[in-house]
Amino acid sequence: MDHLALTPELILQAYANGVFPMAEGRDDDEIFWVDPRERGIIPLEGFHISRSLAKVIRSGRFRVTFNQDFKGVMEGCADRDETWINATIFDLYGQLHEMGFGHSLEIWQDERLVGGTYGLALGTAFFGESMFSRTPNASKVALSYMVARLKRTGFTLFDTQFLTPHLASLGGIEIPRAKYRDMLRKALEARADITALTRELTPQDVVQDSGQMS
């Protein structure tokens, strides 16, 4: 694909049709479209917080913010040996954040960014792009807060693109492409505002919203 032809608007159109862009690596200029046969999602009513994770969330060791450091979260997600986030994707998703479609959730410890997750919101669908952790449990706490936010602001679909063992441990599942597209179609028929919380979430809110513990 000619990366010069890739625009924020084209990316939004692609997501609305069930596909998303990736690069082979950080230094690869080529972008390709991905349309998984089996799609990873986190059912918002099936998110799983273990007792040990609930203890971490309640401990207060982390400070949680929303949309405070989108660039820092993307940099954290790309800071690994292998990444699909190249310069083109980094720039375009930054533009999508400025346009109000890209959102990040940050995890801080002693004023240091130690974890987070980011993605795009369309209709009542949230497309989770990536997450990172520089200290144990930070990415799990980020996902826990993101799920609680999505539930409380009217979202119906949390797309994780692929299913990893990490996501599966939190309740993530795989569904066939056809089922995913049906869920996506319904999610795009309605509207939700991920920023529309009446107050900031507390650790107790996040744990209670899960409703599943072991």
Side-chain angles (χ1 to χ4, degrees), residues 50-112:
S50 67
R51 294 188 185 279
S52 59
L53 178 57
K55 184 176 180 180
V56 171
I57 292 171
R58 290 192 182 107
S59 71
R61 75 179 67 166
F62 297 125
R63 181 169 63 90
V64 182
T65 58
F66 185 73
N67 278 345
Q68 294 301 302
D69 194 355
F70 188 87
K71 179 181 178 182
V73 171
M74 279 202 76
E75 288 174 341
C77 290
D79 185 19
R80 57 192 71 178
D81 292 339
E82 295 185 8
T83 179
W84 51 267
I85 302 173
N86 66 2
T88 300
I89 287 178
F90 196 97
D91 176 62
L92 287 167
Y93 282 76
Q95 292 182 53
L96 286 163
H97 171 62
E98 293 298 323
M99 294 165 64
F101 294 100
H103 302 281
S104 62
L105 191 146
E106 303 87 18
I107 304 297
W108 306 84
Q109 190 170 37
D110 298 327
E111 302 308 312
R112 174 173 173 255

Side-chain angles (χ1 to χ4, degrees), residues 8-214:
E9 292 78 11
L10 181 59
I11 290 176
L12 293 175
Q13 183 179 352
Y15 277 92
N17 285 278
V19 298
F20 54 89
M22 295 182 73
E24 288 289 355
R26 178 183 293 103
D27 300 319
D28 193 329
D29 290 334
E30 294 296 317
I31 303 291
F32 59 93
W33 296 114
V34 183
D35 183 13
R37 188 181 302 272
E38 295 289 323
R39 193 74 165 227
I41 68 167
I42 292 179
L44 293 175
E45 298 302 328
F47 186 70
H48 177 84
I49 293 180
S50 67
R51 294 188 185 279
S52 59
L53 178 57
K55 184 176 180 180
V56 171
I57 292 171
R58 290 192 182 107
S59 71
R61 75 179 67 166
F62 297 125
R63 181 169 63 90
V64 182
T65 58
F66 185 73
N67 278 345
Q68 294 301 302
D69 194 355
F70 188 87
K71 179 181 178 182
V73 171
M74 279 202 76
E75 288 174 341
C77 290
D79 185 19
R80 57 192 71 178
D81 292 339
E82 295 185 8
T83 179
W84 51 267
I85 302 173
N86 66 2
T88 300
I89 287 178
F90 196 97
D91 176 62
L92 287 167
Y93 282 76
Q95 292 182 53
L96 286 163
H97 171 62
E98 293 298 323
M99 294 165 64
F101 294 100
H103 302 281
S104 62
L105 191 146
E106 303 87 18
I107 304 297
W108 306 84
Q109 190 170 37
D110 298 327
E111 302 308 312
R112 174 173 173 255
L113 184 64
V114 296
T117 185
Y118 79 97
L120 302 180
L122 276 178
T124 62
F126 185 76
F127 307 91
E129 286 297 307
S130 190
M131 57 187 176
F132 79 101
S133 183
R134 293 183 176 131
T135 195
N137 294 306
S139 62
K140 289 184 177 181
V141 173
L143 278 178
S144 300
Y145 271 83
M146 183 63 81
V147 167
R149 174 176 284 271
L150 294 175
K151 290 174 69 173
R152 288 181 177 231
T153 54
F155 282 75
T156 61
L157 174 62
F158 188 175
D159 173 13
T160 64
Q161 301 177 348
F162 303 105
L163 181 67
T164 64
H166 180 68
L167 292 172
S169 72
L170 295 165
I173 62 172
E174 283 184 330
I175 58 174
R177 181 188 294 154
K179 182 176 181 181
Y180 169 77
R181 290 196 171 178
D182 183 56
M183 293 177 67
L184 176 60
R185 176 183 57 80
K186 293 176 181 176
L188 295 178
E189 290 174 350
R191 291 290 178 267
D193 182 357
I194 197 170
T195 68
L197 284 179
T198 57
R199 60 175 176 80
E200 290 304 310
L201 294 168
T202 67
Q204 191 62 25
D205 290 334
V206 174
V207 174
Q208 286 181 343
D209 280 6
S210 167
Q212 296 196 27
M213 237 178 279
S214 66

